[in-house]
Amino acid sequence: MLNELLTQKFKDYFGENPTLLVRAPGRINLIGEHTDYNNGFVLPAAIDKAIYFAISPRTDKKCILLAYDLNDIYEFSLDTIRKTEKSWANFLIGVLAEMLEKGKQINTGFNIVFGGDVPLGAGLSSSAAVESGMGFALNKLYNLELTKLELALIAQQAEHKYAGVNCGIMDMFASIHGKANSVIKLDCQDLSFEYFPFDFPEYSLVLCNTGVKHNLGDSEYNQRRAECEEGIRRLQSAFPQVDSLRDVTIPMLRSQADKLSPVVYNRCKYVVEEIERVDVACKALENDDLKTFGQKMYETHQGLSQDYEVSCPELDFLVEQTFNFDSVVGARMMGGGFGGCTINLVKADVVETFIDNITLAYKKTFNRELISYRVKITNGVEALHSILEKVS
Ligand code: GLA
C-alpha cells in the first residue's frame, strides 16, 4: 500500500511517526469540459488514484518537503516563502503562501513526505490532488478552520500564482468534495453543487492513457481562456447583460458571427453547446439512460476536437476506435487536452477484451504503449484515521 510506504519513508527520514496521513484523490470528468472557467456546469468525480501526505509539525520554522516518487527534497523557512526552481515544490508552497496571505496562523514549520499513483500529465489532475491534500493537511494540523470550498479556492489560487495555469475550479473542487459512487454536478457560476448517483455495476469507467504528456502551463490552455474572454467582450457590445458564456445562446452567437474571428466563434460555440450538453446528460443520468449520456460524451469529443481544438491525433484515434465496440456506450478525451487520457464507458463483462484490442490497435498505429486503468469513484480528500489513531 502506498500510504504504508510513505509512512515508512517518513519514519526512516525523520525518525518518528507522522502525526497525520492524508489521501487526496485525482479526478475524472464525465462531461462538461472547458466550461468551468466559463461559469458553466461540470460533472467530475474523485477516483481511486490518489496522492498521499504524511505530515508532522516541527518546533522550529523549518519546512522539509520530500517528494517520494521523484526522490527529491526541498527545504525552506517559514520566514522566506517564495517560488522555487523545483516546480513540484511550488504546488505545496503555493498553498501555504495562500493560507498565510489569508491571515491564517501557521507559526511552526513541518515535515512532509508525499507521493502517490495519479499519473502525471495524464489529465487526472495530479497537481490539484497535491494542492488539495496539502491544504487539507495544513488545515487539520494547525486547526485553521477553513471550509472545503475555501480549501478549493486556495488550491486554485496556488495553481494560478505558483504554477502559472489559469485553471478553473473543477479539479480541486472534485478532489475535495468527491463522494463514493457519485458524480458532482457543479455550477461554476455560484459554486452550488449536487451529487448524482453514478453506480452502474454493469458498466466500467476505463481511462486509456495516450502517454502523450500534456503541459497546461504550455500556454495553450491560457490561450483558450483568453479566446473565450475575447468572445465575451465582443458579444457585450450587442448584449451588455452578458457576463460570461453561460449567458449566451447559439442564436445570440450567430447574430454576432461577423464580429468574431472564426476561431473565437468556434471556441464560443463549443462552450455554449457544452454547457447545454451537461444539463441534457444529467437528465439522462436521472433516467438511467446511459445511451443518451454516452452519445453526449461523443458529441463533447467532437466539439473539443473540431471547434475547441484541444485534442490530438492519439486521442482522436482512441475515440474513433471505440466505434468498433458495441460494448462502449460513450468515449471522449478528458481534461485540458493535448494528450492525456480518454474516458470510456464500457460494458463491465468485456472490459478486458476492449483493453486488449484497443492496446493492440494503438501500438500498431503509433508504436506507443497504451496504459489503461479501470477506475472507481471514491470519496474526496480525507484523513486516514486508522494511522492517526495508531500514532497518537
Ligand atoms: C484542466 C483545468 C480545469 C478545466 C479542465 C478542462 O483540468 O485544470 O479547470 O478547465 O482542464 O475542462
Side-chain angles (χ1 to χ4, degrees):
M1 290 287 284
L2 280 166
N3 52 352
E4 281 160 16
L5 282 177
L6 287 187
T7 306
Q8 192 53 50
K9 181 75 186 179
F10 192 98
K11 281 197 233 170
D12 293 346
Y13 195 81
F14 296 111
E16 58 170 18
N17 275 308
T19 306
L20 180 63
L21 191 66
V22 166
R23 170 190 170 273
R27 65 102 188 90
I28 51 171
N29 184 25
L30 271 299
I31 198 159
E33 217 65 270
H34 288 275
T35 46
D36 58 354
Y37 55 84
N38 284 303
N39 280 1
F41 296 99
V42 289
L43 200 66
I47 54 168
D48 57 346
K49 294 206 166 288
I51 304 290
Y52 297 87
F53 282 79
I55 178 166
S56 280
R58 297 174 59 97
T59 49
D60 57 9
K61 298 234 162 179
K62 212 188 261 183
C63 302
I64 303 181
L65 312 174
L66 195 158
Y68 183 84
D69 304 315
L70 305 173
N71 198 18
D72 200 6
I73 291 189
Y74 184 69
E75 214 179 294
F76 64 99
S77 158
L78 276 182
D79 296 328
T80 49
I81 295 176
R82 63 173 79 98
K83 252 188 180 176
T84 124
E85 305 278 276
K86 284 195 198 287
S87 49
W88 63 262
N90 285 330
F91 295 107
L92 293 89
I93 297 171
V95 171
L96 170 67
E98 281 302 308
M99 287 177 158
L100 294 172
E101 203 164 294
K102 273 178 95 67
K104 293 291 162 188
Q105 293 293 313
I106 298 175
N107 296 320
T108 62
F110 43 78
N111 296 328
I112 287 184
V113 175
F114 78 101
D117 61 357
V118 187
L120 300 182
L124 305 186
S125 293
S126 51
S127 62
V130 169
E131 290 149 353
S132 304
M134 176 72 169
F136 183 92
L138 294 181
N139 194 34
K140 219 168 168 63
L141 207 61
Y142 296 99
N143 291 314
L144 304 180
E145 296 188 342
L146 289 157
T147 63
K148 283 183 169 187
L149 181 56
E150 285 173 317
L151 288 176
L153 291 167
I154 284 172
Q156 186 191 21
Q157 281 310 306
E159 182 87 26
H160 284 195
K161 296 187 199 161
Y162 279 72
V165 182
N166 293 331
C167 66
I169 189 74
M170 167 170 76
D171 304 345
M172 31 293 280
F173 196 96
S175 180
I176 292 171
H177 293 79
K179 182 173 161 186
N181 301 323
S182 302
V183 288
I184 310 166
K185 185 185 181 195
L186 171 65
D187 180 339
C188 299
Q189 188 157 41
D190 62 9
L191 300 180
S192 62
F193 66 101
E194 56 181 314
Y195 292 108
F196 277 76
F198 197 93
D199 195 10
F200 301 97
E202 66 280 22
Y203 286 92
S204 292
L205 287 163
V206 179
L207 305 179
C208 296
N209 189 352
T210 55
V212 178
K213 285 251 177 359
H214 76 172
N215 181 357
L216 295 182
D218 261 348
S219 82
E220 284 283 354
Y221 181 92
N222 292 350
Q223 193 185 321
R224 293 298 176 281
R225 202 170 169 159
E227 285 159 352
C228 291
E229 279 157 13
E230 185 187 330
I232 296 159
R233 269 196 310 277
R234 290 186 187 271
L235 287 163
Q236 277 169 340
S237 321
F239 307 103
Q241 76 279 18
V242 163
D243 194 41
S244 68
L245 289 177
R246 171 77 172 271
D247 307 323
V248 176
T249 61
I250 293 294
M252 281 162 78
L253 191 61
R254 271 199 207 119
S255 74
Q256 301 303 303
D258 56 341
K259 315 255 171 18
L260 305 171
S261 73
V263 166
V264 169
Y265 180 87
N266 283 340
R267 306 294 194 245
C268 295
K269 172 173 161 282
Y270 162 76
V271 171
V272 172
E273 286 173 350
E274 180 72 351
I275 293 174
E276 166 71 19
R277 247 191 311 269
V278 180
D279 223 40
V280 178
C282 286
K283 296 213 170 81
L285 256 196
E286 277 179 317
N287 297 328
D288 287 341
D289 177 4
L290 281 192
K291 191 157 173 263
T292 303
F293 190 89
Q295 224 169 316
K296 295 291 146 194
M297 291 172 74
Y298 279 119
E299 286 172 22
T300 294
H301 184 80
Q302 176 81 3
L304 286 167
S305 178
Q306 306 294 311
D307 294 332
Y308 218 64
E309 295 181 283
V310 291
S311 187
C312 64
E314 291 85 351
L315 287 165
D316 288 345
F317 174 84
L318 289 176
V319 171
E320 273 156 32
Q321 280 296 304
T322 66
F323 294 130
N324 301 329
F325 298 94
D326 291 340
S327 51
V328 180
V329 290
R332 63 177 197 82
M333 57 147 281
M334 192 182 71
F338 307 105
C341 290
T342 60
I343 177 166
N344 305 267
L345 200 48
V346 188
K347 277 253 172 68
D349 53 355
V350 292
V351 165
E352 247 90 272
T353 321
F354 165 69
I355 292 178
D356 287 350
N357 290 347
I358 202 160
T359 307
L360 260 177
Y362 190 66
K363 175 88 183 167
K364 221 161 126 191
T365 309
F366 294 101
N367 195 25
R368 294 183 86 117
E369 296 305 323
L370 185 72
I371 313 243
S372 299
Y373 326 97
R374 206 175 185 162
V375 289
K376 290 209 164 54
I377 297 181
T378 67
N379 284 332
V381 62
E382 60 195 346
L384 299 180
H385 288 289
S386 56
I387 305 287
L388 247 187
E389 277 155 20
K390 231 190 270 172
V391 297
S392 58

Short mmCIF file of all heavy atoms in Angstrom, two decimals, residues 328-374:
data_model
loop_
_atom_site.label_atom_id
_atom_site.label_comp_id
_atom_site.label_asym_id
_atom_site.label_seq_id
_atom_site.Cartn_x
_atom_site.Cartn_y
_atom_site.Cartn_z
N VAL A 328 -19.03 -0.26 -25.94
CA VAL A 328 -18.68 1.08 -25.43
C VAL A 328 -19.85 2.01 -25.70
O VAL A 328 -20.24 2.21 -26.85
CB VAL A 328 -17.41 1.62 -26.12
CG1 VAL A 328 -17.05 3.01 -25.58
CG2 VAL A 328 -16.24 0.68 -25.91
N VAL A 329 -20.42 2.59 -24.62
CA VAL A 329 -21.57 3.48 -24.87
C VAL A 329 -21.17 4.94 -25.05
O VAL A 329 -21.91 5.73 -25.64
CB VAL A 329 -22.65 3.39 -23.76
CG1 VAL A 329 -23.37 2.07 -23.79
CG2 VAL A 329 -22.10 3.68 -22.39
N GLY A 330 -19.98 5.31 -24.54
CA GLY A 330 -19.55 6.69 -24.71
C GLY A 330 -18.05 6.79 -24.51
O GLY A 330 -17.47 6.03 -23.73
N ALA A 331 -17.42 7.71 -25.23
CA ALA A 331 -15.96 7.92 -25.08
C ALA A 331 -15.63 9.33 -25.51
O ALA A 331 -16.30 9.90 -26.38
CB ALA A 331 -15.17 6.93 -25.94
N ARG A 332 -14.61 9.88 -24.89
CA ARG A 332 -14.15 11.23 -25.27
C ARG A 332 -12.80 11.51 -24.61
O ARG A 332 -12.40 10.81 -23.68
CB ARG A 332 -15.16 12.29 -24.85
CG ARG A 332 -15.37 12.38 -23.34
CD ARG A 332 -16.33 13.50 -23.00
NE ARG A 332 -16.23 13.86 -21.61
CZ ARG A 332 -15.33 14.66 -21.08
NH1 ARG A 332 -14.37 15.20 -21.83
NH2 ARG A 332 -15.32 14.95 -19.81
N MET A 333 -12.12 12.52 -25.13
CA MET A 333 -10.91 12.96 -24.44
C MET A 333 -11.34 13.64 -23.15
O MET A 333 -12.45 14.15 -23.06
CB MET A 333 -10.06 13.90 -25.30
CG MET A 333 -10.77 15.15 -25.77
SD MET A 333 -9.69 16.60 -25.91
CE MET A 333 -9.56 17.14 -24.24
N MET A 334 -10.46 13.65 -22.16
CA MET A 334 -10.85 14.18 -20.86
C MET A 334 -9.82 15.19 -20.34
O MET A 334 -8.62 15.01 -20.54
CB MET A 334 -10.96 13.03 -19.86
CG MET A 334 -11.63 13.41 -18.57
SD MET A 334 -11.66 12.00 -17.46
CE MET A 334 -9.92 11.90 -17.03
N GLY A 335 -10.31 16.24 -19.69
CA GLY A 335 -9.41 17.22 -19.08
C GLY A 335 -9.03 18.33 -20.04
O GLY A 335 -9.73 18.60 -21.02
N GLY A 336 -7.89 18.95 -19.77
CA GLY A 336 -7.45 20.12 -20.53
C GLY A 336 -7.17 19.81 -21.99
O GLY A 336 -7.42 20.62 -22.87
N GLY A 337 -6.64 18.61 -22.26
CA GLY A 337 -6.40 18.18 -23.64
C GLY A 337 -4.93 18.16 -24.05
O GLY A 337 -4.05 18.17 -23.20
N PHE A 338 -4.70 18.05 -25.36
CA PHE A 338 -3.36 17.98 -25.96
C PHE A 338 -2.60 16.73 -25.51
O PHE A 338 -1.37 16.71 -25.48
CB PHE A 338 -2.52 19.22 -25.61
CG PHE A 338 -3.22 20.51 -25.94
CD1 PHE A 338 -3.78 21.29 -24.94
CD2 PHE A 338 -3.36 20.91 -27.26
CE1 PHE A 338 -4.45 22.47 -25.25
CE2 PHE A 338 -4.03 22.07 -27.58
CZ PHE A 338 -4.58 22.86 -26.57
N GLY A 339 -3.32 15.69 -25.14
CA GLY A 339 -2.69 14.46 -24.65
C GLY A 339 -3.47 13.98 -23.45
O GLY A 339 -4.59 14.42 -23.22
N GLY A 340 -2.87 13.07 -22.70
CA GLY A 340 -3.56 12.54 -21.53
C GLY A 340 -4.50 11.40 -21.91
O GLY A 340 -4.20 10.63 -22.83
N CYS A 341 -5.62 11.32 -21.23
CA CYS A 341 -6.48 10.14 -21.34
C CYS A 341 -7.78 10.37 -22.09
O CYS A 341 -8.28 11.49 -22.14
CB CYS A 341 -6.92 9.71 -19.93
SG CYS A 341 -5.62 9.03 -18.93
N THR A 342 -8.34 9.26 -22.60
CA THR A 342 -9.76 9.27 -22.97
C THR A 342 -10.51 8.59 -21.84
O THR A 342 -9.94 7.76 -21.11
CB THR A 342 -10.04 8.49 -24.27
OG1 THR A 342 -9.63 7.12 -24.10
CG2 THR A 342 -9.30 9.09 -25.45
N ILE A 343 -11.77 8.97 -21.67
CA ILE A 343 -12.62 8.30 -20.69
C ILE A 343 -13.66 7.50 -21.48
O ILE A 343 -14.24 8.02 -22.44
CB ILE A 343 -13.25 9.29 -19.69
CG1 ILE A 343 -14.18 8.56 -18.72
CG2 ILE A 343 -13.98 10.44 -20.36
CD1 ILE A 343 -14.59 9.38 -17.51
N ASN A 344 -13.85 6.24 -21.08
CA ASN A 344 -14.72 5.33 -21.82
C ASN A 344 -15.70 4.67 -20.87
O ASN A 344 -15.31 4.19 -19.80
CB ASN A 344 -13.89 4.22 -22.48
CG ASN A 344 -12.80 4.78 -23.37
OD1 ASN A 344 -12.99 4.95 -24.55
ND2 ASN A 344 -11.64 5.07 -22.78
N LEU A 345 -16.94 4.62 -21.29
CA LEU A 345 -17.97 3.94 -20.51
C LEU A 345 -18.21 2.60 -21.21
O LEU A 345 -18.76 2.56 -22.31
CB LEU A 345 -19.22 4.83 -20.51
CG LEU A 345 -20.27 4.64 -19.46
CD1 LEU A 345 -19.66 4.56 -18.07
CD2 LEU A 345 -21.25 5.82 -19.51
N VAL A 346 -17.75 1.52 -20.55
CA VAL A 346 -17.66 0.22 -21.23
C VAL A 346 -18.44 -0.84 -20.45
O VAL A 346 -18.38 -0.88 -19.22
CB VAL A 346 -16.18 -0.24 -21.31
CG1 VAL A 346 -16.02 -1.48 -22.19
CG2 VAL A 346 -15.28 0.87 -21.80
N LYS A 347 -19.14 -1.75 -21.17
CA LYS A 347 -19.81 -2.88 -20.52
C LYS A 347 -18.78 -3.65 -19.69
O LYS A 347 -17.72 -4.04 -20.19
CB LYS A 347 -20.39 -3.82 -21.58
CG LYS A 347 -21.73 -3.39 -22.10
CD LYS A 347 -22.81 -4.34 -21.54
CE LYS A 347 -24.21 -3.87 -21.86
NZ LYS A 347 -24.51 -3.97 -23.29
N ALA A 348 -19.09 -3.87 -18.42
CA ALA A 348 -18.09 -4.41 -17.49
C ALA A 348 -17.57 -5.80 -17.91
O ALA A 348 -16.39 -6.09 -17.74
CB ALA A 348 -18.69 -4.47 -16.09
N ASP A 349 -18.44 -6.62 -18.49
CA ASP A 349 -18.01 -8.00 -18.76
C ASP A 349 -17.04 -8.12 -19.94
O ASP A 349 -16.47 -9.20 -20.15
CB ASP A 349 -19.24 -8.92 -18.93
CG ASP A 349 -20.20 -8.40 -19.97
OD1 ASP A 349 -19.97 -7.28 -20.47
OD2 ASP A 349 -21.18 -9.09 -20.28
N VAL A 350 -16.85 -7.05 -20.70
CA VAL A 350 -15.93 -7.17 -21.84
C VAL A 350 -14.77 -6.18 -21.75
O VAL A 350 -14.07 -5.94 -22.74
CB VAL A 350 -16.66 -6.99 -23.19
CG1 VAL A 350 -17.61 -8.14 -23.45
CG2 VAL A 350 -17.40 -5.66 -23.24
N VAL A 351 -14.58 -5.63 -20.57
CA VAL A 351 -13.53 -4.61 -20.42
C VAL A 351 -12.16 -5.15 -20.85
O VAL A 351 -11.42 -4.49 -21.59
CB VAL A 351 -13.46 -4.10 -18.96
CG1 VAL A 351 -12.18 -3.34 -18.70
CG2 VAL A 351 -14.64 -3.19 -18.66
N GLU A 352 -11.86 -6.38 -20.44
CA GLU A 352 -10.54 -6.94 -20.77
C GLU A 352 -10.33 -7.02 -22.27
O GLU A 352 -9.28 -6.60 -22.78
CB GLU A 352 -10.42 -8.36 -20.17
CG GLU A 352 -9.39 -8.42 -19.06
CD GLU A 352 -9.98 -8.15 -17.70
OE1 GLU A 352 -10.04 -6.98 -17.30
OE2 GLU A 352 -10.38 -9.12 -17.06
N THR A 353 -11.32 -7.53 -22.97
CA THR A 353 -11.21 -7.66 -24.42
C THR A 353 -11.07 -6.27 -25.05
O THR A 353 -10.26 -6.06 -25.97
CB THR A 353 -12.49 -8.32 -25.01
OG1 THR A 353 -12.90 -9.33 -24.12
CG2 THR A 353 -12.27 -8.86 -26.38
N PHE A 354 -11.86 -5.34 -24.55
CA PHE A 354 -11.79 -3.97 -25.07
C PHE A 354 -10.36 -3.43 -24.93
O PHE A 354 -9.77 -2.93 -25.89
CB PHE A 354 -12.80 -3.08 -24.33
CG PHE A 354 -12.56 -1.61 -24.53
CD1 PHE A 354 -12.78 -1.01 -25.77
CD2 PHE A 354 -12.10 -0.81 -23.49
CE1 PHE A 354 -12.55 0.35 -25.96
CE2 PHE A 354 -11.87 0.56 -23.68
CZ PHE A 354 -12.09 1.14 -24.92
N ILE A 355 -9.82 -3.58 -23.71
CA ILE A 355 -8.48 -3.04 -23.46
C ILE A 355 -7.44 -3.74 -24.35
O ILE A 355 -6.59 -3.09 -24.97
CB ILE A 355 -8.11 -3.14 -21.96
CG1 ILE A 355 -9.00 -2.19 -21.14
CG2 ILE A 355 -6.63 -2.82 -21.73
CD1 ILE A 355 -8.77 -2.23 -19.64
N ASP A 356 -7.53 -5.08 -24.44
CA ASP A 356 -6.56 -5.82 -25.28
C ASP A 356 -6.58 -5.31 -26.71
O ASP A 356 -5.54 -5.04 -27.31
CB ASP A 356 -6.90 -7.31 -25.28
CG ASP A 356 -6.54 -7.94 -23.94
OD1 ASP A 356 -5.88 -7.26 -23.12
OD2 ASP A 356 -6.94 -9.11 -23.71
N ASN A 357 -7.80 -5.17 -27.26
CA ASN A 357 -7.91 -4.81 -28.67
C ASN A 357 -7.45 -3.38 -28.96
O ASN A 357 -6.74 -3.11 -29.93
CB ASN A 357 -9.35 -4.98 -29.16
CG ASN A 357 -9.72 -6.44 -29.24
OD1 ASN A 357 -8.85 -7.32 -29.17
ND2 ASN A 357 -10.99 -6.74 -29.33
N ILE A 358 -7.86 -2.48 -28.08
CA ILE A 358 -7.52 -1.06 -28.34
C ILE A 358 -6.02 -0.84 -28.12
O ILE A 358 -5.39 -0.04 -28.80
CB ILE A 358 -8.43 -0.11 -27.52
CG1 ILE A 358 -8.46 1.28 -28.16
CG2 ILE A 358 -8.04 -0.02 -26.07
CD1 ILE A 358 -9.62 2.15 -27.77
N THR A 359 -5.44 -1.61 -27.19
CA THR A 359 -3.99 -1.50 -26.95
C THR A 359 -3.21 -1.94 -28.19
O THR A 359 -2.25 -1.29 -28.61
CB THR A 359 -3.57 -2.37 -25.74
OG1 THR A 359 -4.40 -2.02 -24.64
CG2 THR A 359 -2.12 -2.18 -25.35
N LEU A 360 -3.68 -3.04 -28.78
CA LEU A 360 -3.03 -3.55 -30.00
C LEU A 360 -3.12 -2.55 -31.13
O LEU A 360 -2.12 -2.23 -31.80
CB LEU A 360 -3.75 -4.83 -30.44
CG LEU A 360 -3.09 -6.15 -30.08
CD1 LEU A 360 -3.95 -7.31 -30.53
CD2 LEU A 360 -1.69 -6.21 -30.72
N ALA A 361 -4.33 -2.01 -31.34
CA ALA A 361 -4.55 -1.06 -32.43
C ALA A 361 -3.68 0.18 -32.23
O ALA A 361 -3.10 0.72 -33.19
CB ALA A 361 -6.03 -0.67 -32.49
N TYR A 362 -3.57 0.62 -30.99
CA TYR A 362 -2.80 1.84 -30.68
C TYR A 362 -1.31 1.62 -30.97
O TYR A 362 -0.65 2.44 -31.58
CB TYR A 362 -3.02 2.21 -29.21
CG TYR A 362 -2.48 3.57 -28.82
CD1 TYR A 362 -3.03 4.73 -29.34
CD2 TYR A 362 -1.42 3.69 -27.91
CE1 TYR A 362 -2.55 5.99 -28.97
CE2 TYR A 362 -0.94 4.95 -27.54
CZ TYR A 362 -1.51 6.09 -28.08
OH TYR A 362 -1.03 7.32 -27.71
N LYS A 363 -0.85 0.44 -30.56
CA LYS A 363 0.56 0.09 -30.77
C LYS A 363 0.87 0.06 -32.27
O LYS A 363 1.90 0.55 -32.72
CB LYS A 363 0.83 -1.26 -30.10
CG LYS A 363 2.19 -1.82 -30.31
CD LYS A 363 3.16 -1.33 -29.27
CE LYS A 363 4.54 -1.85 -29.53
NZ LYS A 363 5.56 -1.21 -28.76
N LYS A 364 -0.06 -0.56 -33.01
CA LYS A 364 0.13 -0.71 -34.45
C LYS A 364 0.20 0.65 -35.14
O LYS A 364 1.01 0.87 -36.03
CB LYS A 364 -1.05 -1.51 -35.02
CG LYS A 364 -0.64 -2.52 -36.05
CD LYS A 364 -1.70 -3.55 -36.22
CE LYS A 364 -2.08 -3.66 -37.67
NZ LYS A 364 -3.29 -4.48 -37.82
N THR A 365 -0.64 1.56 -34.73
CA THR A 365 -0.71 2.85 -35.41
C THR A 365 0.36 3.84 -34.94
O THR A 365 0.95 4.56 -35.74
CB THR A 365 -2.10 3.48 -35.20
OG1 THR A 365 -3.07 2.49 -35.55
CG2 THR A 365 -2.30 4.70 -36.06
N PHE A 366 0.60 3.90 -33.63
CA PHE A 366 1.50 4.93 -33.12
C PHE A 366 2.82 4.39 -32.57
O PHE A 366 3.67 5.15 -32.13
CB PHE A 366 0.80 5.76 -32.01
CG PHE A 366 -0.36 6.56 -32.53
CD1 PHE A 366 -1.66 6.11 -32.35
CD2 PHE A 366 -0.14 7.75 -33.19
CE1 PHE A 366 -2.72 6.85 -32.83
CE2 PHE A 366 -1.20 8.50 -33.67
CZ PHE A 366 -2.51 8.04 -33.49
N ASN A 367 2.91 3.06 -32.52
CA ASN A 367 4.07 2.42 -31.92
C ASN A 367 4.31 2.93 -30.48
O ASN A 367 5.43 3.23 -30.09
CB ASN A 367 5.32 2.59 -32.79
CG ASN A 367 6.42 1.62 -32.37
OD1 ASN A 367 6.10 0.57 -31.80
ND2 ASN A 367 7.67 1.97 -32.61
N ARG A 368 3.25 3.07 -29.75
CA ARG A 368 3.33 3.51 -28.34
C ARG A 368 2.52 2.55 -27.51
O ARG A 368 1.54 1.96 -27.98
CB ARG A 368 2.69 4.89 -28.16
CG ARG A 368 3.38 6.02 -28.83
CD ARG A 368 2.65 7.31 -28.47
NE ARG A 368 3.15 7.83 -27.21
CZ ARG A 368 3.78 8.99 -27.07
NH1 ARG A 368 3.96 9.75 -28.12
NH2 ARG A 368 4.21 9.40 -25.90
N GLU A 369 2.94 2.42 -26.23
CA GLU A 369 2.18 1.55 -25.31
C GLU A 369 1.00 2.34 -24.77
O GLU A 369 1.14 3.46 -24.31
CB GLU A 369 3.06 1.15 -24.11
CG GLU A 369 4.28 0.32 -24.46
CD GLU A 369 3.95 -0.94 -25.25
OE1 GLU A 369 2.89 -1.55 -24.97
OE2 GLU A 369 4.73 -1.29 -26.16
N LEU A 370 -0.17 1.70 -24.81
CA LEU A 370 -1.35 2.32 -24.20
C LEU A 370 -1.50 1.75 -22.79
O LEU A 370 -1.46 0.54 -22.60
CB LEU A 370 -2.59 1.96 -25.03
CG LEU A 370 -3.89 2.62 -24.59
CD1 LEU A 370 -3.87 4.11 -24.95
CD2 LEU A 370 -5.09 1.96 -25.27
N ILE A 371 -1.63 2.64 -21.82
CA ILE A 371 -1.84 2.16 -20.45
C ILE A 371 -3.27 2.49 -20.08
O ILE A 371 -3.68 3.66 -20.18
CB ILE A 371 -0.88 2.87 -19.46
CG1 ILE A 371 0.52 2.84 -20.03
CG2 ILE A 371 -1.00 2.27 -18.06
CD1 ILE A 371 1.55 2.11 -19.30
N SER A 372 -4.03 1.47 -19.69
CA SER A 372 -5.44 1.71 -19.36
C SER A 372 -5.71 1.42 -17.90
O SER A 372 -5.09 0.56 -17.30
CB SER A 372 -6.33 0.83 -20.23
OG SER A 372 -6.12 1.16 -21.59
N TYR A 373 -6.62 2.19 -17.32
CA TYR A 373 -6.99 2.00 -15.92
C TYR A 373 -8.51 1.88 -15.84
O TYR A 373 -9.23 2.66 -16.46
CB TYR A 373 -6.59 3.19 -15.04
CG TYR A 373 -5.30 3.88 -15.43
CD1 TYR A 373 -5.33 5.03 -16.22
CD2 TYR A 373 -4.07 3.41 -14.99
CE1 TYR A 373 -4.16 5.69 -16.57
CE2 TYR A 373 -2.90 4.07 -15.32
CZ TYR A 373 -2.95 5.20 -16.12
OH TYR A 373 -1.79 5.85 -16.47
N ARG A 374 -8.94 0.93 -15.00
CA ARG A 374 -10.36 0.82 -14.70
C ARG A 374 -10.52 1.57 -13.38
O ARG A 374 -9.90 1.19 -12.39
CB ARG A 374 -10.61 -0.67 -14.45
CG ARG A 374 -11.96 -1.15 -14.70
CD ARG A 374 -11.89 -2.65 -14.51
NE ARG A 374 -13.15 -3.22 -14.85
CZ ARG A 374 -13.34 -4.48 -15.11
NH1 ARG A 374 -12.32 -5.32 -15.09
NH2 ARG A 374 -14.53 -4.93 -15.38
#
